[in-house]
Amino acid sequence: MTMPRGMHALVLVTAMLSLAAFCIADGSFVFLSCSMVAAALSGVLAQGARPKRLPTIVAHTIIATICAAAAVVAFIAGRPPDIEHVGLLCGTALVVKLFARHRASDERHVLALGSILFLVAALDGTDVLAGLPLIVGSLLLPVCVSAAWVQSSTERAAAAHGSHRPVGSLPVSFEPTAGASPMRCWTGFAIASVIVTATCGVIVFVGFPRQGLEGEAWNRTRAGGFSLRVSLATDERIEDARTEVMTVRWIGPDSLSMEHNEPLHLRGAVFDRYDPISQSWQVPQHPRREYFEGVGAAFVPFVHEGIDPRLQVYKQVVQMRGLATNQVFSVLAPIAIQAADGMTVALDQSTMLLSSASSRIGEFDRYAVSVKPYASDRDMATLSGGTVEPGPMPTFPVDAVKPLALELWERWKPRGRSVPDFDAAALRPLARWERNRAVATALEAALLSGDFRYTTDLGSIVRRRGEDPIVNFLMSSRQGHCQYFASALCAMCQSMGVDARVVAGFIALEYDAAQLQYIVRSSNAHAWVEVRTGDAQWTTFDATPPATLQALQAEQRTWADGLRWLWDPLNFAWSRHVVSFDGEAQTELAERMASTREALSRPVRAVLDALEAIRQRLVETFSGMVGSLWLASIGVVLVATIVVMALLRARRRQTTPLVGRSASPRERELARHYMDALRVARRRGVVRDAGMTPLEVVARLSVESPEAAMHLRSVVESFYAVRFGGRPATAERCTAAARSLSALHRARTP
């Protein structure tokens, strides 16, 4: 393979890796398929005797048109393009450049666009599938740059060689006569660039940990489908990947693994306030956290009195598989936790949420929680630190929701029994809790009636400017995913004075009877509502149609699910140790390195002590005049050996471009005689210009000294007979060349 063709293949591979890294990080698998097919097609069309390529002007026109269209779309939308759109634009331009003419500038453009795609993938990717092509491509990128530099240098040298060729002379192929060949030079640059890039990448990764917005530790968990925010401002399709994020073993009061009689709602985040400006739900403002230290195999109770641990207590054993987060997922209500020694768990008594006390993402990869899914109001009050006095009746900031809620309430309110009205609920807590339950049940039934449709694709929903998405869901579109159902139910409840909040987490539906555990996947990320039905009691209401969730779960099952146990642990390790490498992880790594250095210092000190003893023994042995003479003689021998080896290596490197690496010693000897003879001719004033053959040098030398020209011809003919004539490099031929070289040195100019 020639240098230009090898470089183009390397650039093509790097470009495909950059496209793969970006598309996997962004989830653009349609663009991934199309771009990969196009890139492979460009490589096929560019090879052969008659390659088919786009003219440069055509390629640049296509790219300019795409950029102009993207600018117009961004102007109409009234906002600059986000990082995903920039990546799509660069990926499209890269594919177009692959079909353009393969000049040096085109290769540089492809590498520049690939660098942008790698940067976008590094900023946006959280999955190990995106990390693998990102790492490999980042290492290949400097290799391509070094190859481009070597290739352009060789092309410039060949152009200079051709420009100095005498007029009328036959063209001579350009080959370097001294130094390393282009491929060997590029190999050295490639190895050095990979080492330097990998070293710099590790230094940057360790020295500059990944940070999130506003200085918070990076806690993005898109790879697991779960997010610490519920926003209705976007109409993008939510993730429905089959990545296994955790397994949950549900152990009953009889200490046997079992399947629960209803889906498990694993809580991860709670939101109680809606912001109509950002169209998102906000977390409670004043959490009440208590911290508990893990002690290994023992369960640490959150309260020591007031809860009977023998009555309706279940255990959930969670093994994280593909999600790195500091949230501890549990059903309501947790009463104890089993965590490793040194792990600190935070319990928010106002929401009953569990989390790691530190900002280290993925600290808990395995834990067990004791829960009471049917906890009484008294148990909840004990866990909450006492009865929480009811506050004022809640309201909802979007006024258009209340008429819609009242309309559904009139249609679905219970018949045949009285429900406390608003005034009675405001005066008596018991009436308030009774009304909360009745209103939430009726509104949940309205959303589950079939008038509202579940969908994960919101691209077809039409919204009027300034219309709130919850109002649009209830009045116009009547379709959306779980976040819309939960938001609508919570909004209607709050608009009618009912204490309600949105909860986000996972819903466990898939039970593996063979493994006796639930399989929770990223597509099981879910949102539901909790309504206050007691002084400290909150009851779960899920307005998302359960039959739809079960049907989606069954449709998404594939044959590959059985192989995910091989991949998901790797993805979890990537998310835990790479994606979530933050400031605390950096500190932890520094502490580990300090302890490792201390552990390694002991054998190092032992080695140093042994070397010091050897040094003392040598000083005693070589002390005095005799010892100094011995040391001086040994030093002279070592220096002479190094000099001789350096000279031999230099001579070998000089002859390698002429005879190759596999040449015999006699062939190398002839090559040295040939090069020495040309140097003697140069000292006599005969300079070999570009394009001159050795016989032309002989002819020019014969003008000044026919005797010297005769000896130079003898050396040149001996070397050419072996190098190009296929003659063997015999001892007689080498001896004759050496005699001719000696005679050339002695020849005099008349």
Side-chain angles (χ1 to χ4, degrees):
M1 179 181 290
T2 62
M3 185 74 183
R5 182 170 294 184
M7 177 185 170
H8 174 65
L10 193 61
V11 171
L12 179 61
V13 171
T14 305
M16 297 179 71
L17 286 173
S18 66
L19 290 169
F22 161 71
C23 293
I24 296 174
D26 188 54
S28 306
F29 294 103
V30 175
F31 183 72
L32 173 64
S33 303
C34 297
S35 61
M36 285 297 178
V37 171
L41 184 61
S42 71
V44 173
L45 295 178
Q47 303 299 326
R50 304 177 66 180
K52 300 177 178 59
R53 300 166 183 164
L54 286 176
T56 303
I57 185 64
V58 176
H60 289 177
T61 302
I62 295 174
I63 295 174
T65 304
I66 296 174
C67 293
V72 171
V73 172
F75 178 77
I76 295 175
R79 60 181 182 181
D82 53 17
I83 191 172
E84 289 83 3
H85 294 155
V86 173
L88 288 173
L89 184 62
C90 292
T92 305
L94 187 148
V95 172
V96 174
K97 291 295 294 185
L98 289 177
F99 284 93
R101 293 178 178 174
H102 296 160
R103 300 180 304 177
S105 59
D106 295 314
E107 305 288 2
R108 289 195 295 268
H109 295 165
V110 170
L111 293 177
L113 292 171
S115 302
I116 297 176
L117 291 179
F118 282 132
L119 180 60
V120 173
L123 295 175
D124 199 44
T126 58
D127 197 280
V128 68
L129 280 175
L132 292 179
L134 176 61
I135 293 176
V136 177
S138 300
L139 295 177
L140 283 181
L141 193 62
V143 175
C144 294
V145 174
S146 63
W149 179 79
V150 173
Q151 178 65 18
S152 61
S153 300
T154 305
E155 291 177 355
R156 288 195 300 270
H161 174 79
S163 63
H164 290 86
R165 182 170 55 86
V167 178
S169 62
L170 295 175
V172 180
S173 61
F174 170 73
E175 292 184 4
T177 58
S181 64
M183 288 298 295
R184 182 179 177 185
C185 182
W186 170 75
T187 303
F189 273 110
I191 296 175
S193 61
V194 169
I195 295 175
V196 171
T197 303
T199 304
C200 293
V202 172
I203 292 175
V204 171
F205 175 77
V206 176
F208 300 93
R210 197 172 189 178
Q211 298 294 324
L213 299 176
E214 300 177 359
E216 296 178 358
W218 180 268
N219 59 2
R220 186 177 182 185
T221 52
R222 198 182 90 174
F226 169 75
S227 177
L228 290 175
R229 59 193 301 265
V230 173
S231 176
L232 307 179
T234 177
D235 57 356
E236 295 180 356
R237 183 185 182 93
I238 65 171
E239 183 181 9
D240 55 0
R242 292 285 294 166
T243 304
E244 184 179 322
V245 297
M246 70 179 83
T247 61
V248 180
R249 187 176 297 273
W250 187 252
I251 302 176
D254 54 357
S255 300
L256 297 178
S257 298
M258 57 175 293
E259 181 179 6
H260 201 50
N261 54 6
E262 57 187 18
L264 301 180
H265 288 79
L266 304 174
R267 308 165 77 249
V270 171
F271 314 90
D272 62 353
R273 295 175 294 107
Y274 182 75
D275 182 13
I277 298 177
S278 64
Q279 299 177 352
S280 61
W281 289 90
Q282 310 296 316
V283 298
Q285 293 181 334
H286 304 290
R288 303 192 310 274
R289 291 190 177 93
E290 293 288 335
Y291 299 94
F292 304 89
E293 190 79 15
V295 293
F299 277 86
V300 178
F302 298 135
V303 293
H304 295 280
E305 296 180 355
I307 296 181
D308 189 354
R310 299 169 298 175
L311 183 62
Q312 292 294 322
V313 174
Y314 294 77
K315 294 183 180 64
Q316 61 170 62
V317 181
V318 178
Q319 175 67 59
M320 304 302 295
R321 304 282 291 179
L323 173 63
T325 178
N326 55 6
Q327 301 301 120
V328 178
F329 295 93
S330 169
V331 301
L332 195 69
I335 62 174
I337 189 168
Q338 180 190 41
D341 292 331
M343 300 296 182
T344 304
V345 183
L347 170 66
D348 185 354
Q349 293 181 319
S350 60
T351 60
M352 292 291 108
L353 288 178
L354 298 171
S355 63
S356 170
S358 66
S359 60
R360 178 75 174 97
I361 304 300
E363 185 175 17
F364 292 116
D365 57 349
R366 179 181 174 85
Y367 53 86
V369 183
S370 293
V371 297
K372 295 194 74 171
Y374 309 107
S376 63
D377 193 33
R378 179 181 176 182
D379 293 336
M380 294 296 296
T382 303
L383 290 171
S384 302
T387 301
V388 180
E389 294 296 331
M393 304 285 281
T395 58
F396 193 70
V398 181
D399 297 333
V401 173
K402 186 173 183 178
L404 301 173
L406 291 175
E407 179 184 352
L408 292 179
W409 164 250
E410 291 298 328
R411 290 175 52 191
W412 294 91
K413 67 180 181 181
R415 310 297 179 182
R417 69 182 182 91
S418 61
V419 177
D421 57 14
F422 185 87
D423 296 332
L427 295 176
R428 294 187 299 111
L430 292 180
R432 181 172 176 173
W433 312 144
E434 181 182 354
R435 181 177 181 274
N436 285 357
R437 183 182 293 274
V439 171
T441 302
L443 296 179
E444 180 191 41
L447 295 176
L448 294 173
S449 62
D451 295 337
F452 298 85
R453 186 173 67 89
Y454 182 92
T455 179
T456 58
D457 190 0
L458 307 179
S460 61
I461 296 178
V462 179
R463 294 182 183 176
R464 290 185 290 271
R465 183 179 297 274
E467 184 182 36
D468 189 84
I470 297 178
V471 176
N472 178 274
F473 172 78
L474 291 172
M475 187 170 57
S476 302
S477 67
R478 297 208 165 197
Q479 59 179 338
H481 46 70
C482 60
Q483 293 184 359
Y484 280 80
F485 280 88
S487 299
L489 178 57
C490 186
M492 290 191 295
C493 288
Q494 290 184 357
S495 67
M496 295 183 62
V498 174
D499 306 82
R501 60 193 186 190
V502 175
V503 183
F506 290 92
I507 181 171
L509 298 170
E510 180 182 351
Y511 187 76
D512 188 346
Q515 301 293 329
L516 300 177
Q517 62 185 8
Y518 285 92
I519 308 297
V520 181
R521 308 184 186 276
S522 59
S523 57
N524 295 129
H526 194 48
W528 60 94
V529 175
E530 289 180 349
V531 175
R532 189 174 182 181
T533 57
D535 292 336
Q537 183 73 47
W538 292 82
T539 303
T540 298
F541 289 87
D542 195 347
T544 305
T548 303
L549 295 178
Q550 293 284 359
L552 290 175
Q553 184 73 23
E555 290 176 0
Q556 293 173 354
R557 293 180 182 177
T558 62
W559 61 270
D561 291 341
L563 303 177
R564 291 188 179 274
W565 65 274
L566 294 171
W567 180 258
D568 290 334
L570 179 61
N571 191 38
F572 175 71
W574 173 266
S575 301
R576 181 181 181 185
H577 299 293
V578 178
V579 176
S580 59
F581 187 81
D582 54 7
E584 185 170 340
Q586 183 188 42
T587 304
E588 180 182 350
L589 178 62
E591 294 175 352
R592 291 182 179 178
M593 292 178 64
S595 60
T596 303
R597 183 181 60 184
E598 181 64 26
L600 293 177
S601 62
R602 290 189 293 270
V604 171
R605 283 196 297 267
V607 172
L608 292 178
D609 293 340
L611 292 177
E612 180 64 21
I614 294 174
R615 190 187 69 83
Q616 293 291 344
R617 183 68 177 270
L618 291 175
V619 169
E620 295 174 358
T621 302
F622 293 100
S623 60
M625 181 63 69
V626 177
S628 301
L629 292 176
W630 271 105
L631 287 177
S633 61
I634 293 174
V636 170
V637 171
L638 289 177
V639 171
T641 303
I642 294 173
V643 170
V644 170
M645 292 181 63
L647 292 176
L648 291 176
R649 180 174 177 81
R651 293 176 68 88
R652 182 182 180 87
R653 292 183 61 182
Q654 290 177 352
T655 57
T656 297
L658 293 177
V659 296
R661 292 179 174 273
S662 59
S664 64
R666 289 177 178 172
E667 291 175 345
R668 292 185 180 277
E669 182 181 355
L670 271 177
R672 288 194 295 270
H673 295 334
Y674 167 74
M675 296 175 65
D676 291 341
L678 292 178
R679 279 196 289 268
V680 172
R682 186 167 58 250
R683 287 198 299 269
R684 289 178 175 269
V686 181
V687 180
R688 183 184 181 185
D689 297 330
M692 287 183 61
T693 64
L695 294 180
E696 291 177 348
V697 176
V698 171
R700 183 176 295 182
L701 181 61
S702 64
V703 177
E704 301 179 3
S705 176
E707 181 185 359
M710 180 185 64
H711 297 308
L712 176 60
R713 177 185 291 274
S714 175
V715 176
V716 170
E717 289 179 349
S718 297
F719 173 71
Y720 269 48
V722 174
R723 180 68 176 85
F724 302 105
R727 303 291 180 85
T730 60
E732 293 78 6
R733 196 181 298 275
C734 292
T735 303
R739 291 174 180 172
S740 299
L741 180 60
S742 299
L744 177 62
H745 280 285
R746 295 191 302 269
R748 297 180 180 180
T749 303

